[in-house]
Amino acid sequence: MNICVVTGANSGMGMVTIQELLERGDRVIATVRSAKKATLLVQLLREHGVSHTNLEVEIVQLDQLDSVRQFADLLFDRIGRIDRLILNAGVMVPPYHRTKDGFESQFQVNYLSHFYLIERLLPLLEQGQDPRVISISSLAGEGGLIRTDIELEAMAHVKKEQYNPMRSYRESKLLQMVHMRELAEQYGDRVTFVSVHPGIVNTDLFYRGKYGKVLKTVLKPIAQIGYWTGKLYTPEYGAKTALYLATTEDRLENGGYYADSAPRLSNPVVEDETYRQQARHLSKQWVGLT
Ligand SMILES: NC(=O)c1ccc[n+]([C@@H]2O[C@H](COP(=O)([O-])OP(=O)(O)OC[C@H]3O[C@@H](n4cnc5c(N)ncnc54)[C@H](OP(=O)(O)O)[C@@H]3O)[C@@H](O)[C@H]2O)c1
């Protein structure tokens, strides 16, 4: 039985992922944003006939470093090892918001909080059985451009007037790949680190704005065409690559980037060792790990 930690488990691919892991008999510690979402998640699993005996649901706000710190402390108290850490939670192109820690929200939710969680949990991962960290990045990250600490600093604290939502999303997803690759260089003999593009997947990620519900209804027939043509994935299909990486006995490319359960060419920025180290150093300072 693997001990798995999964962020953003109440919807989309995160929910499919924990469902599958629970069905395999794994112990799953899943994060959601509120007590109400935790109750709903358990209800939904029950409706789907999934046993939740091995499930623990914790409330974690990924836009608050304090909340991430508390969750990491809780894991140290509760478990002696982590076998699979799946960083799935994410937000895409929200209106501009600066978190109480002072960062642009996509930067913090998608990248910095997950960075912090992984770095804190490394000792538990090192105790794991064939431990693997699976970071749900995106195709968007392939187009990321930032490769200096000055640009990184500017993006992390971007001002409202300069905010470009897609650019911030893209760069946050590239940073996830950069971090996985750097950790593979440093700890690759003990832990496997991979990032994933899950495909274009019909989830609430696209419907979270003010007009989300209307958009979802309008796009429903178009989504069907997307499924038929293979251009759009269902959440079940979208979760397949992460689940493959979590469960396969195939040898994985440490630090690699995967899509459709196979390695995929990553952004060349990931190869830049100087930048990878600068990004890790700066991010550690931001989360108070130096
Ligand atoms: N869908 C796609 O086409 C696609 C493509 C490439 C990559 N991805 C990536 O795949 C991952 C999963 O997304 P999805 O498509 O399954 O979307 P989703 O259904 O919207 O799931 C996102 C999850 O992240 C959680 N989350 C968002 N902000 C959070 C915060 N501040 N604190 C804690 N949790 C937070 C959400 O919780 P709430 O429900 O409470 O908001 C939800 O559980 C994301 O990292 C996304 O960037 C998706």
Side-chain angles (χ1 to χ4, degrees), residues 216-232:
K216 196 173 182 174
T217 316
V218 173
L219 291 181
K220 211 171 169 185
I222 301 172
Q224 281 305 330
I225 299 169
Y227 297 148
W228 291 329
T229 55
K231 299 261 187 277
L232 183 69

Side-chain angles (χ1 to χ4, degrees), residues 36 43 57 79-81 83 85 93 168-169 171 191 202 237 258 283:
K36 193 174 161 198
Q43 258 173 27
V57 187
I79 49 179
R81 64 167 217 272
D83 306 316
L85 174 57
V93 299
S168 288
Y169 181 70
E171 300 298 342
V191 182
N202 191 15
Y237 201 83
Y258 283 74
S283 303

Side-chain angles (χ1 to χ4, degrees), residues 45-289:
L45 290 173
R46 203 176 288 138
E47 280 166 27
H48 290 192
V50 181
S51 160
H52 50 86
T53 330
N54 289 340
L55 174 70
E56 293 140 80
V57 187
E58 298 300 333
I59 296 161
V60 181
Q61 315 291 345
L62 290 167
D63 50 2
Q64 295 174 28
L65 292 174
D66 269 353
S67 177
V68 177
R69 187 175 303 121
Q70 282 163 19
F71 178 54
D73 290 345
L74 174 143
L75 292 175
F76 274 95
D77 287 344
R78 192 178 292 173
I79 49 179
R81 64 167 217 272
I82 295 174
D83 306 316
R84 303 289 184 268
L85 174 57
I86 305 181
L87 294 324
N88 164 79
V91 61
M92 189 175 75
V93 299
Y96 181 79
H97 171 65
R98 217 162 158 156
T99 68
K100 86 175 179 23
D101 298 301
F103 300 99
E104 186 279 315
S105 66
Q106 293 186 89
F107 174 84
Q108 184 161 347
V109 171
N110 297 348
Y111 167 64
L112 193 64
S113 286
H114 283 143
F115 171 94
Y116 188 24
L117 195 59
I118 304 164
E119 296 278 346
R120 278 292 314 276
L121 298 178
L122 281 171
L124 290 180
L125 285 159
E126 287 180 314
Q127 297 304 313
Q129 299 172 166
D130 184 14
R132 301 177 196 175
V133 179
I134 299 156
S135 179
I136 312 302
S137 174
S138 169
L139 175 74
E142 292 176 31
L145 296 170
I146 286 182
R147 63 186 316 161
T148 69
D149 52 354
I150 297 165
E151 292 169 313
L152 178 55
E153 168 73 54
M155 199 203 61
H157 298 110
V158 67
K159 293 199 174 67
K160 190 172 182 180
E161 309 77 67
Q162 274 98 43
Y163 178 57
N164 174 331
M166 197 57 216
R167 179 168 188 252
S168 288
Y169 181 70
R170 192 176 77 193
E171 300 298 342
S172 71
K173 291 288 162 185
L174 169 59
L175 278 161
Q176 289 183 250
M177 297 180 199
V178 169
H179 188 215
M180 287 299 95
R181 178 56 184 277
E182 181 54 20
L183 291 180
E185 292 293 325
Q186 304 298 330
Y187 302 89
D189 55 335
R190 286 157 280 166
V191 182
T192 300
F193 300 91
V194 281
S195 37
V196 173
H197 168 56
I200 306 300
V201 189
N202 191 15
T203 67
D204 285 350
L205 193 75
F206 296 100
Y207 310 122
R208 288 190 182 268
K210 206 165 153 193
Y211 304 107
K213 275 198 180 135
V214 180
L215 196 64
K216 196 173 182 174
T217 316
V218 173
L219 291 181
K220 211 171 169 185
I222 301 172
Q224 281 305 330
I225 299 169
Y227 297 148
W228 291 329
T229 55
K231 299 261 187 277
L232 183 69
Y233 291 175
T234 60
E236 288 71 21
Y237 201 83
K240 277 193 187 307
T241 301
L243 284 164
Y244 161 76
L245 294 167
T247 57
T248 185
E249 291 185 7
D250 294 350
R251 194 181 155 79
L252 298 177
E253 189 188 304
N254 209 339
Y257 170 56
Y258 283 74
D260 292 317
S261 304
R264 179 180 169 101
L265 202 60
S266 185
N267 188 316
V269 171
V270 168
E271 303 304 326
D272 185 337
E273 188 182 346
T274 310
Y275 173 60
R276 284 200 316 263
Q277 289 174 0
Q278 282 176 345
R280 186 169 180 226
H281 181 71
L282 198 52
S283 303
K284 275 186 153 186
Q285 283 182 346
W286 281 326
V287 298
L289 282 178

